[in-house]
Amino acid sequence: MKTLKKFFVAIIVFFSFSIAETTFVRADDFINGVDISILDEMEQSGAVYKINGRQKDPLAILKENGVNYVRLRLWVNPYDENGNSYGAGTNDLNRTIKLAKRAKKTGLKVLLDFHYSDFWVDPGKQNLPKAWKNQSFNQLNNSVYSYTADVLNQMKLKGVYPDMVQIGNELNSGMLWPFGKSWGGDGQEFTRLATFLKTGIRAVKDTQVGNTPIMLHLADGGNKTTFQWWLDEITNQSVDFDIVGISYYPYWHGNLSALSENMDNISERYNKKVVVVETAYANSLDNLDQKTNAFTATEEATGGYKASKDGQYEFLTDLVDKIKDVKNNNGLGFFYWEPLWYNGNVSWATHAGMSYLGVSDITGNEWENQAVFDFSGNALRGIKAFNYSNLTNVVANSSFESDGYTENPSSWNKWSNSQKVGIKTEVYNNTRYKLTFWSDAAFESSIYQKTSNLQSGTYKLSIDTMGDTAIETAHLYIKGYGGVEQKISLNNSSSWKTYTIDNIKITSGQCEVGVYVKAKSNQWLSIDNVRLVRVD
């Protein structure tokens, strides 16, 4: 997680829709994960969790709505010399094992996140554990092995060996500073960092009970340049790992098209699986305590979705679409960061924790408006996003990949007021196809698809577009579904952007979805990934 800002207020969000209370059968191996490291401390502080007004075990609620994996962070010794807790979950080994037992008992897999520190680490700080402070490089390397192996052996003895292991947290700037910094000027930075990583990985392989996938994790998920720089260095050092973990918060790390470009590059350049291992979005702009939230109106404007229960759901489901669309089927899934941290009773850092980090701040929680539960512990619509990966897109040839280059994409109908308008599929990003509207004369045109035999229910329609920012008119529409026509303006940009029409109540068993364009000469619009999914 990014360095925590400040945050708090009291408005309760109510909702009237019913959330599923039956366990879904997993359709594939897509990871629908959550980081629940805060859970034990939250419950000890009095937090309760409810679904449709009924109190229930939060892990059962999550599993029944599609969650299949949990992530648990691990700090070496999150207490000061007087035994005062640093807070934020106080995730020492005992608490991590306790949560792992609970998760496994619920039928959830476990990703273990080694921080190799006593408290938070990220690209801005990678503090040594207190017990390792005065060690040489070789001594530190030995500590990495013995600590990693000891943790994993203890978890194995308790019957909770993790199903996936993450070596280090947000490693852009390295780990175990100063020796493991990824920058510094002597030319040996990545050799030392790679040594630490190889040692941690060797400890996993020496203790594993099966073939345990190993993840390396970086922040700033929309920054392809940073990822390529770091991964080039690490792969040149022959570090053996399986998965690239990505922190991606759209209000900090760029839009979804930037994330997609990065994930595709990781898949093609390194042939690695990718997991968005940290992400979140706000369900409200309200604040429950005196600490300024990490997500405010500024982040809402940057993030591109409303800070609401629907906006949170729309972001997550759009994110799932992007992960499932990663080239070579290397998009493995996502983990939502701390969906259960819905109030300020558990602080991001106690006074002891702030002293350890060398910061001065007020206690509280800056994250509560990004939980998937409201301020009273009621499950919000966002929780349903964990089952979205199992749902079916009813649009045929939705990505225009069925025919290669063509002016007549299968399953789609065309209309135009001009014979000169060009509607055609064309290659982009080397292997993908998109559909483009263009003409050297002014035109009106549309492409549309009629779908029948639809079950009645609530649907979500979305599309990816890019194009001329001055285009006269462009919109996505749906009609003939049993209600009035709905449409959304496609305000185009030079990079791909996702647009959504949500909460469509289809009652007629059919509908027409399409894109209409009115343009001046030489104006253009490209579209891709048209998705109509029943979400209730």
Side-chain angles (χ1 to χ4, degrees), residues 170-195:
E170 294 192 331
L171 293 166
N172 305 53
S173 58
M175 61 188 282
L176 296 170
W177 288 358
F179 292 108
K181 269 191 175 181
S182 60
W183 48 274
D186 70 355
Q188 298 302 308
E189 302 93 341
F190 273 95
T191 299
R192 291 189 294 270
L193 174 56
T195 299

Side-chain angles (χ1 to χ4, degrees), residues 281-301:
Y281 207 83
N283 62 64
S284 168
L285 290 179
D286 298 333
N287 189 340
L288 196 60
D289 62 14
Q290 75 278 9
K291 188 170 177 58
T292 303
N293 283 350
F295 193 110
T296 66
T298 299
E299 285 70 31
E300 180 184 45

Side-chain angles (χ1 to χ4, degrees), residues 116-172:
Y116 297 107
S117 181
D118 291 334
F119 205 30
W120 300 112
V121 295
D122 55 45
K125 55 186 177 296
Q126 293 282 337
N127 299 325
L128 290 171
K130 295 182 292 294
W132 302 3
K133 275 284 188 184
N134 298 313
Q135 294 183 356
S136 67
F137 171 73
N138 287 333
Q139 288 172 327
L140 269 177
N141 194 45
N142 290 335
S143 293
V144 169
Y145 182 86
S146 59
Y147 169 71
T148 306
D150 179 63
V151 165
L152 293 173
N153 279 325
Q154 289 195 55
M155 294 186 77
K156 182 161 53 176
L157 284 172
K158 301 290 186 180
V160 290
Y161 196 93
D163 301 279
M164 186 187 303
V165 175
Q166 178 183 320
I167 301 297
N169 191 76
E170 294 192 331
L171 293 166
N172 305 53

Side-chain angles (χ1 to χ4, degrees), residues 487-507:
K487 59 186 178 181
I488 184 171
S489 179
L490 305 176
N491 301 312
N492 292 290
S493 65
S494 56
S495 62
W496 288 102
K497 186 175 179 181
T498 301
Y499 295 87
T500 296
I501 302 176
D502 196 11
N503 287 312
I504 305 162
K505 307 296 184 182
I506 293 182
T507 59

Side-chain angles (χ1 to χ4, degrees), residues 507-527:
T507 59
S508 65
Q510 60 186 5
C511 71
E512 177 182 313
V513 299
V515 174
Y516 165 83
V517 176
K518 181 179 180 182
K520 297 177 182 178
S521 61
N522 296 311
Q523 292 182 337
W524 61 280
L525 174 74
S526 291
I527 67 174

